[in-house]
Amino acid sequence: MEVCIMKYFLILVSCIIVVFLVSIFWQRPVENQIKGEISEVRSDMKLLSPEKYKSLFTYNGIWPAPKNQCECTKADHIHVHQLEDYIDKKDLPLMKERRQREFEHYQKRYPSMTQDLVIAKPNMPLSYPIQGVEVMPLHTIMIPGLGLHGVTEEKYQVILQASLGTLNTLADVSDDVVSGRGKKKLLILTSDVKLLNFILKHVTYTSVVYQLTAVDMMSFESKQHVAQFPVIIRQPSLPKLFDPGADRKISSLVTITTKTFLRYHKLRLLIKSIRQYYPDIKIIIADDSEVPEKIDGENVEHYIMPFGKGWFAGRNLAISQVTTKYYLWVDDDFLFTENTKIEKLLDVLERTNLDVVGGSVNGDTYSFQLLYEQGDDSGCLHLRYGSFHRLEGFPNCVVSSGVVNFFLAHTDKSRHVGYDPLLQRVAHSEFFMDGLGILLVGSCADVSIGHQDHNPASDPKLTKVEDQYKRFRTNTEAQVQFKLFLHYFKNRLKCYSTR
């Protein structure tokens, strides 16, 4: 009996082994086929190599794509400043901490309006606004476009939820149908889809938190689906308009501003040339000379500053006294010519949305691009000479980031950016750096101004003045290092490159 049992047991084991081996034999081609299909699909779904996609999206030698860390790369004719190199190593850790605290405070004051990513889901029966819903702080609006479509249910349930406001509906229905009126969560429960959509059509949003700018990501939910959409809370600012007068004379629209230091002989030549073409336009002069001289002339305002207060402090003082819509900035050693047509620059600003438009000095516009990259812990800024593209409607003008020291600008927008008074000697592009993302800048080559000769003065007194001016005007190593430190801390930059 035991022998029979053992015999049947061995037969059973043998059968199991045979079945297993057969299954392996037949399964392997199928597995190979599946693996081949997967391998084939994956080979068709590969990404471009980093070198390839970087070459596709490179602009002016820079790869302006989102990345964790940006960098300024050395190359031919590219000068790179790694800004930490200009800071004492023993001071760097504490300085990084201070900068980070200030940046976090800055982010609280200027929160991002697009910080939440919302992906629209396919085949959604919910209709809702995806943009354009805006309310002033503490005001009430109706939310347009809410609805439920293409779904049949015995009982419809919809939930709307806000975080910075309260919800209600103008529909006159019972609390059994709508609950949560005046609260952040509104529940609608009904068996009538037409009534549901009537209620949704009249849903209101009331802002309850006073903030200048904020985003409330609303939630809109049915039994099977959830959608999100933004409600923008924004306090509009009051317009600040400048009255150009009934005649709209250029003197009612534009003030000429300049900063002078020591060189009164050049300043007087500038004023004389201005009066040749614009006899009644106002001229504002900021002056930080040690021994100020009186500047006579009708419609000239001369403001005296502490000695050597500096270049950008003088610019701030000058534009602070402008009462016209625009100001024209000129250096004190420029000369107006027959090609210095303020009217042309004025026409550009009146007919476009530019904030600043520059001309040329002796035929050179010196327009440049500022290309900014953001990293997790700091940014990278690249200055490249040239422009972005032509300005539509003006064949002699282009769009850029910065221009030469001869430009017409909106007074209020320049005051908003301001000229950093810490920059006392050589400074110009720094104004446009601080205005990046605020100022829209253009340059027109067909409007030019002259520059007074650099020839040595024949008068010994004027020679002494010029020598003294050069001592103050020349950029020192300490000034350069200080400017780079400012870029590191104030502008939160890691590096700065120029070409």
Side-chain angles (χ1 to χ4, degrees):
M1 183 69 176
E2 290 180 359
V3 174
C4 290
I5 293 173
M6 181 60 68
K7 181 178 179 180
Y8 284 117
F9 176 75
L10 291 173
I11 292 172
L12 179 61
V13 170
S14 300
C15 291
I16 292 173
I17 292 173
V18 169
V19 170
F20 175 75
L21 292 174
V22 169
S23 66
I24 292 295
F25 176 80
W26 286 103
Q27 187 177 3
R28 186 168 295 163
V30 175
E31 288 179 347
N32 290 339
Q33 184 180 2
I34 293 173
K35 287 180 180 179
E37 290 175 354
I38 293 174
S39 176
E40 184 178 350
V41 170
R42 288 183 175 175
S43 68
D44 290 344
M45 296 175 65
K46 64 182 181 180
L47 295 174
L48 295 172
S49 67
E51 293 78 13
K52 179 65 174 178
Y53 63 70
K54 283 185 179 181
S55 68
L56 290 175
F57 307 118
T58 297
Y59 181 86
N60 210 339
I62 299 161
W63 184 49
K67 55 180 77 75
N68 294 330
Q69 297 293 333
C70 64
E71 60 183 16
C72 300
T73 305
K74 287 186 177 181
D76 290 342
H77 310 295
I78 302 292
H79 189 63
V80 172
H81 297 282
Q82 300 295 344
L83 301 184
E84 287 189 2
D85 295 344
Y86 297 88
I87 300 169
D88 195 319
K89 299 305 179 187
K90 70 178 186 298
D91 298 331
L92 192 57
L94 288 176
M95 191 172 294
K96 280 186 174 181
E97 289 181 14
R98 293 202 310 273
R99 188 179 75 164
Q100 183 60 26
R101 284 198 302 270
E102 290 302 313
F103 181 64
E104 290 170 1
H105 184 228
Y106 173 87
Q107 288 179 308
K108 289 179 182 177
R109 294 176 59 221
Y110 302 102
S112 170
M113 298 295 288
T114 56
Q115 54 189 338
D116 294 309
L117 177 65
V118 179
I119 305 296
K121 296 183 179 180
N123 300 321
M124 178 79 74
L126 301 173
S127 66
Y128 54 94
I130 58 172
Q131 68 173 17
V133 181
E134 186 167 320
V135 61
M136 288 194 285
L138 311 182
H139 283 232
T140 298
I141 58 166
M142 278 202 302
I143 302 175
L146 296 178
L148 179 68
H149 310 280
V151 176
T152 302
E153 295 176 357
E154 186 176 339
K155 200 80 168 178
Y156 298 96
Q157 177 179 295
V158 166
I159 299 172
L160 286 153
Q161 193 156 355
S163 57
L164 300 176
T166 57
L167 302 168
N168 213 319
T169 179
L170 301 182
D172 186 6
V173 293
S174 68
D175 293 343
D176 294 336
V177 177
V178 175
S179 59
R181 289 177 181 266
K183 300 183 183 302
K184 293 184 177 181
K185 185 176 181 179
L186 189 71
L187 173 63
I188 305 171
L189 192 63
T190 178
S191 57
D192 186 342
V193 70
K194 289 186 178 180
L195 177 61
L196 171 64
N197 283 319
F198 176 78
I199 296 168
L200 288 172
K201 184 179 179 180
H202 296 92
V203 166
T204 64
Y205 177 97
T206 301
S207 164
V208 296
V209 178
Y210 188 84
Q211 296 190 28
L212 297 184
T213 55
V215 180
D216 192 345
M217 290 304 301
M218 289 278 302
S219 172
F220 182 23
E221 179 180 349
S222 66
K223 288 182 180 179
Q224 302 293 331
H225 302 88
V226 179
Q228 285 185 302
F229 61 90
V231 174
I232 307 297
I233 303 168
R234 194 195 318 269
Q235 176 61 59
S237 58
L238 292 175
K240 290 187 289 185
L241 308 180
F242 294 83
D243 184 2
D247 53 5
R248 292 186 70 83
K249 289 170 56 179
I250 194 163
S251 58
S252 301
L253 285 162
V254 178
T255 301
I256 296 176
T257 57
T258 192
K259 156 76 175 60
T260 196
F261 179 67
L262 301 175
R263 303 185 302 176
Y264 291 103
H265 57 298
K266 292 189 178 293
L267 175 63
R268 290 187 172 96
L269 283 177
L270 168 67
I271 295 173
K272 183 180 178 181
S273 72
I274 292 172
R275 289 294 176 241
Q276 183 178 349
Y277 299 97
Y278 299 97
D280 59 350
I281 200 167
K282 182 184 285 188
I283 303 171
I284 292 179
I285 304 161
D287 183 355
D288 61 347
S289 303
E290 187 172 16
V291 183
E293 296 181 12
K294 185 175 176 59
I295 301 297
D296 295 316
E298 188 177 349
N299 228 3
V300 174
E301 297 181 4
H302 186 200
Y303 294 93
I304 307 301
M305 307 165 63
F307 173 58
K309 186 64 177 175
W311 177 230
F312 268 17
R315 281 191 170 190
N316 275 334
L317 173 58
I319 68 169
S320 74
Q321 300 305 305
V322 173
T323 58
T324 52
K325 184 176 181 180
Y326 305 104
Y327 72 96
L328 181 78
W329 185 265
V330 295
D331 285 355
D332 64 353
D333 59 351
F334 286 171
L335 280 175
F336 274 54
T337 72
E338 60 183 7
N339 294 319
T340 311
K341 302 292 186 184
I342 302 176
E343 295 85 353
K344 285 188 176 182
L345 299 179
L346 181 61
D347 185 47
V348 173
L349 292 190
E350 290 277 280
R351 291 171 52 196
T352 69
N353 61 343
L354 291 185
D355 301 301
V356 179
V357 60
S360 70
V361 178
N362 283 345
D364 293 322
T365 61
Y366 297 103
S367 61
F368 57 88
Q369 305 171 346
L370 292 173
L371 305 173
Y372 178 50
E373 296 181 277
Q374 288 181 312
D376 288 343
D377 60 345
S378 55
C380 303
L381 190 66
H382 312 278
L383 188 150
R384 302 291 185 264
Y385 286 101
S387 60
F388 296 114
H389 52 77
R390 292 286 176 189
L391 179 63
E392 187 176 354
F394 295 89
N396 296 308
C397 304
V398 294
V399 176
S400 62
S401 299
V403 292
V404 71
N405 269 351
F406 167 53
F407 59 82
L408 187 71
H410 279 270
T411 304
D412 58 342
K413 209 62 175 291
S414 292
R415 287 175 181 158
H416 173 60
V417 175
Y419 296 90
D420 192 336
L422 291 172
L423 298 167
Q424 295 183 309
R425 292 202 177 192
V426 180
H428 177 66
S429 59
E430 291 77 9
F431 167 68
F432 295 101
M433 291 178 187
D434 287 345
L436 188 63
I438 302 171
L439 299 175
L440 188 59
V441 182
S443 178
C444 297
D446 59 336
V447 181
S448 66
I449 197 168
H451 199 290
Q452 297 179 37
D453 292 336
H454 292 288
N455 297 332
S458 56
D459 187 331
K461 290 183 179 179
L462 295 183
T463 301
K464 183 179 179 180
V465 168
E466 292 284 1
D467 290 341
Q468 186 181 7
Y469 174 81
K470 287 176 183 177
R471 288 198 299 271
F472 280 91
R473 178 72 170 82
T474 304
N475 227 356
T476 64
E477 185 178 343
Q479 286 280 329
V480 172
Q481 186 162 337
F482 177 71
K483 282 202 293 186
L484 294 172
F485 161 75
L486 267 185
H487 291 322
Y488 175 81
F489 196 101
K490 182 181 75 171
N491 303 125
R492 196 172 173 261
L493 292 179
K494 169 184 177 181
C495 60
Y496 171 53
S497 75
T498 59
R499 179 167 62 186

